[in-house]
């Protein structure tokens, strides 16, 4: 681990959060770090790296400021860290994590249009990637597209984000797709239908009434600012 940053918390990301993991699933995580004072002063680029372990498991490392930026981008694969039950917290930052989790639903719905657009784009991209090699199907990509389109449908219907992530009711179908229990032509038509649904979702977004919950964004960045003030002993009056 880096000595120019202090780890705040580490959260599990991926299939375990959706109830789709198997005994062969990797344990991938995202770790959030706060820089020490000299790093804050003299390093312009925010920490954003992926470390690959010997067993091929991934640790995605983010500066806490970059975390804030990523959360407001509303990507499902990042927002999920605010909802996983599998988290390891540095005791020094338990207050930080608690305050962040207290507004996790608000953060997850900060920009509903951006969230839906992100999910629709993920479906489209994974469907295309599933057929990148002519005559073959990448069933893992196809299964991911299926997982995201089902999560998108629940998000549009205003399910809580925990319910959006939970795919246990779709587990058998997901694993069947992932295991390749589908002929090529059927897989192609399945992907075509998902791409069409994702395209229609993007077309039907109300671009003229785009709402962002700026008060939630401010509340999140206030928590991050407080973390820096505590870290460096900066008083409010300064």
């Amino acid at each position: 681990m880096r000595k120019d940053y202090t780890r705040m918390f580490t959260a599990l990301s991926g299939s375990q959060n959706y109830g789709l993991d198997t005994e062969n699933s990797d344990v991938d995580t995202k770790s959030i770090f706060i820089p020490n004072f000299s790093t804050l002063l003299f390093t312009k680029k925010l920490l954003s790296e992926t470390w690959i372990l010997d067993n091929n498991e991934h640790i995605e490392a983010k500066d806490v400021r970059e975390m804030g930026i990523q959360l407001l981008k509303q990507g499902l694969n990042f927002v999920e860290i605010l909802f996983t039950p599998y988290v390891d917290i540095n005791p020094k930052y338990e207050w930080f994590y608690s305050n962040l989790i207290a507004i996790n639903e608000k953060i997850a719905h900060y920009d509903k249009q951006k969230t839906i657009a992100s999910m629709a784009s993920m479906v489209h991209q994974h469907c295309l990637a599933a057929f990148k090699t002519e005559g073959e199907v990448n069933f893992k990509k196809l299964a991911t597209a299926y997982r995201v389109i089902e999560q998108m449908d629940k998000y549009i219907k205003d399910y809580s984000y925990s319910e959006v992530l939970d795919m246990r009711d779709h587990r058998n179908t997901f694993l069947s797709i992932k295991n390749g229990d589908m002929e090529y032509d059927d897989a192609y038509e399945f992907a075509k239908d998902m791409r069409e649904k994702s395209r229609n979702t993007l077309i039907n977004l109300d671009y003229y009434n785009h709402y962002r919950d700026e008060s939630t964004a401010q509340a999140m960045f206030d928590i991050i600012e407080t973390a820096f003030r505590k870290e460096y002993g900066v008083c409010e009056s300064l």
Side-chain angles (χ1 to χ4, degrees), residues 152-166:
M152 180 180 73
D153 186 59
K154 289 193 285 184
Y155 187 87
I156 290 171
K157 292 176 179 176
D158 286 327
Y159 281 64
S160 71
Y161 210 78
S162 294
E163 292 173 308
V164 168
L165 293 176
D166 188 356

Side-chain angles (χ1 to χ4, degrees), residues 140-152:
K140 183 177 181 180
K141 296 288 186 182
L142 192 65
T144 298
Y146 166 74
R147 185 255 297 171
V148 177
I149 204 165
E150 293 295 335
Q151 291 172 322
M152 180 180 73

Side-chain angles (χ1 to χ4, degrees), residues 1 60 62 64 69-70 73 85 89 91 102 110 114 132 135 143 148 150 175 185 187 190 200 209 224 229:
M1 293 296 179
E60 190 175 340
K62 296 288 186 186
V64 65
I69 294 168
Q70 291 300 318
K73 288 182 178 180
I89 310 166
Y110 154 75
K114 183 178 286 187
K132 186 176 182 179
V148 177
E150 293 295 335
L175 292 178
D185 289 345
F190 184 57
N200 288 337
N209 294 293
I224 294 172
R229 288 184 177 278

